[in-house]
Amino acid sequence: MTEIKKNTPVIRAIKLSKSFGKVEVLKQLSVDFNEGDRIALVGQNGAGKTTLIRCILGQYIFDGQLKVLDKDPRQQRVDILKEVGFVPQIPPPLKITVKELLRFFSDLSNVPEEEYVDIAEKLGLQIKDSYNKPFVALSGGMKQKLLVAFALGKKPTVLLMDEPSANLDPAAREIFFDYLGKYNKEALLVLSSHRMTEIEGLVNRVVEMDFGQIVLDKILYPVENMNV
């Protein structure tokens, strides 16, 4: 695990820009996300939240500067992804079975399959009944529970979650948020959500985006004062 020096940003963007054709989705965006931050990343659809997350994950080429764990997300993507847990807004259409996916994540992260299974079952997913099913054939809620289990189970330094509770039933949502509330206080957590009221007890900072720029960056209270 990468050791982050105190007061060193875990993620730093300087004049970050990203365009798709003639549409500029991120516009000279500069921001630091720091160790221990619990960030609500909010904004309307099209504000640039998901694009920012995908730049952090190294999925897009971009202009400007971006460092994640003091690494370049394009040049050192594999190293970064070892320490990042990610839950996408739209689950990928993976055709491999649940059992194969479990084995893949276990081998990649050196985390026993049983740890992922335990989290999934606590979220209400009877995962063992679906071992032989293709991931793509699962319901939206089942996919989301499994992806959340993969993100939490590897105990990453950075958790990036794009509308992570959108497909969760109320009981699973409560358990999920309980996990987040107890998660490693030195880790960086970024929650992109339209439901600010749902996550406000979990975050200490609100970053609002609009038209590819940050229009509000508000510290609600210091990280050390959080009582989640």
Side-chain angles (χ1 to χ4, degrees), residues 62-81:
F62 50 80
D63 295 316
Q65 299 179 44
L66 180 60
K67 290 287 186 181
V68 181
L69 297 164
D70 207 30
K71 298 179 175 72
D72 184 318
R74 293 293 297 176
Q75 302 299 323
Q76 298 166 285
R77 187 181 179 210
V78 173
D79 292 337
I80 289 171
L81 292 182

Side-chain angles (χ1 to χ4, degrees), residues 22-87:
K22 295 182 179 179
V23 180
E24 192 175 22
V25 181
L26 297 179
K27 304 174 183 177
Q28 299 279 303
L29 183 150
S30 296
V31 70
D32 287 348
F33 293 161
N34 303 310
E35 177 187 17
D37 272 348
R38 298 291 195 262
I39 296 172
L41 184 63
V42 300
Q44 298 296 318
N45 286 335
K49 304 187 302 297
T50 297
T51 299
L52 173 59
I53 288 173
R54 294 195 177 275
C55 285
I56 292 168
L57 293 169
Q59 295 180 355
Y60 292 152
I61 296 172
F62 50 80
D63 295 316
Q65 299 179 44
L66 180 60
K67 290 287 186 181
V68 181
L69 297 164
D70 207 30
K71 298 179 175 72
D72 184 318
R74 293 293 297 176
Q75 302 299 323
Q76 298 166 285
R77 187 181 179 210
V78 173
D79 292 337
I80 289 171
L81 292 182
K82 289 178 181 177
E83 303 190 55
V84 174
F86 172 55
V87 179

Side-chain angles (χ1 to χ4, degrees), residues 11-191:
I11 298 172
R12 167 165 281 182
I14 301 175
K15 296 185 177 180
L16 180 66
S17 297
K18 173 62 185 174
S19 296
F20 296 96
K22 295 182 179 179
V23 180
E24 192 175 22
V25 181
L26 297 179
K27 304 174 183 177
Q28 299 279 303
L29 183 150
S30 296
V31 70
D32 287 348
F33 293 161
N34 303 310
E35 177 187 17
D37 272 348
R38 298 291 195 262
I39 296 172
L41 184 63
V42 300
Q44 298 296 318
N45 286 335
K49 304 187 302 297
T50 297
T51 299
L52 173 59
I53 288 173
R54 294 195 177 275
C55 285
I56 292 168
L57 293 169
Q59 295 180 355
Y60 292 152
I61 296 172
F62 50 80
D63 295 316
Q65 299 179 44
L66 180 60
K67 290 287 186 181
V68 181
L69 297 164
D70 207 30
K71 298 179 175 72
D72 184 318
R74 293 293 297 176
Q75 302 299 323
Q76 298 166 285
R77 187 181 179 210
V78 173
D79 292 337
I80 289 171
L81 292 182
K82 289 178 181 177
E83 303 190 55
V84 174
F86 172 55
V87 179
Q89 183 176 7
I90 301 174
L94 302 175
K95 296 181 180 180
I96 64 175
T97 66
V98 168
K99 183 63 176 174
E100 290 169 333
L101 197 56
L102 272 168
R103 188 179 303 119
F104 171 78
F105 270 93
S106 178
D107 291 344
L108 187 68
S109 61
N110 292 318
V111 173
E113 291 181 28
E114 292 74 19
E115 291 196 28
Y116 294 126
V117 170
D118 181 60
I119 295 174
E121 289 183 340
K122 285 178 179 175
L123 290 169
L125 175 60
Q126 300 305 313
I127 189 172
K128 294 177 182 177
D129 295 338
S130 302
Y131 271 173
N132 296 320
K133 293 181 181 179
F135 177 80
V136 70
L138 301 179
S139 70
M142 293 171 74
K143 290 175 185 175
Q144 201 76 350
K145 289 173 184 178
L146 191 52
L147 292 174
V148 166
F150 287 142
L152 293 174
K154 64 188 289 191
K155 300 177 176 64
T157 305
V158 180
L159 271 171
L160 300 175
M161 299 191 163
D162 195 356
E163 299 288 347
S165 65
N167 291 312
L168 297 181
D169 54 81
R173 194 174 294 142
E174 184 176 348
I175 294 166
F176 169 55
F177 288 139
D178 186 59
Y179 263 105
L180 293 184
K182 296 175 181 176
Y183 195 74
N184 177 10
K185 296 300 185 285
E186 294 183 357
L188 166 65
L189 171 60
V190 180
L191 274 172

